[in-house]
Amino acid sequence: MDDPQQDETERSIAKIVSLNNTALATSGNYRKFRIDSVTGQRFVHTINPKTGFSEKSDILSASVLAKTCAEADGYATAFMAMGSEKSILLVEKLPEIEAYFIYDDNGNLKTFTSTGFEKNLLEK
C-alpha cells in the first residue's frame, strides 16, 4: 500500500500485507483529485451514490480484506465516501471485513487498523 504522504515521484510503502485465501483492495483519493480554481475546494474522484456528486472525505486511503476482490473493492470505495467515523463503526460490526484506513484528523494523519487486518501485516 502506498504512503499518501509521498508525492507521485517518491512513492513509498506504508504497509505490507500477507494474503492467504483472502482478497485485498485499496481505494484512495490522495492522487486523483482536482482543485476548483475559484473556491480552492478539493474534489475527489469518489462519487457518493446517494447524491451523484464527488464526496469530500477525511479518508485518504482505505484498504480492505474480504473473501473476494469485488467485495473488498466495493467496501473500500464505500468507506471512501462514508468517512472515517462511520467506516470504523461499520468495520467493527462486520466480522468478515477487515480494514486499514489512513485519514486526516484536522490536518494530522492518523490510521485505523482492525484487529484482523493487523494480524496480516508484515514488517517493512
Side-chain angles (χ1 to χ4, degrees):
M1 298 177 302
D2 273 354
D3 183 345
Q5 296 181 82
Q6 302 295 316
D7 65 31
E8 284 196 45
T9 60
E10 297 183 25
R11 288 190 171 182
S12 67
I13 296 172
K15 299 287 180 182
I16 300 172
V17 182
S18 173
L19 300 177
N20 185 16
N21 292 323
T22 192
L24 170 71
T26 299
S27 291
N29 66 17
Y30 52 93
R31 297 213 193 281
K32 304 288 185 192
F33 60 88
R34 74 174 179 82
I35 304 291
D36 184 291
S37 62
V38 176
T39 65
Q41 185 176 4
R42 179 179 169 153
F43 289 92
V44 298
H45 70 277
T46 301
I47 303 297
N48 183 326
K50 291 182 179 181
T51 66
F53 293 102
S54 63
E55 186 69 25
K56 185 175 181 179
S57 175
D58 62 341
I59 295 183
L60 301 176
S61 176
S63 296
V64 176
L65 295 172
K67 291 179 183 176
T68 68
C69 195
E71 186 177 20
D73 186 50
Y75 274 107
T77 301
F79 293 146
M80 292 298 302
M82 292 170 57
S84 64
E85 189 174 320
K86 289 179 183 177
S87 296
I88 291 168
L89 290 173
L90 184 56
V91 167
E92 291 174 344
K93 292 179 183 177
L94 298 171
E96 71 280 5
I97 299 297
E98 302 297 340
Y100 173 79
F101 302 138
I102 301 172
Y103 62 99
D104 182 336
D105 182 20
N106 297 316
N108 297 311
L109 282 187
K110 292 194 175 180
T111 63
F112 163 81
T113 310
S114 68
T115 304
F117 200 99
E118 180 76 36
K119 292 176 183 176
N120 287 282
L121 291 177
L122 301 174
E123 293 295 321
K124 286 199 290 182

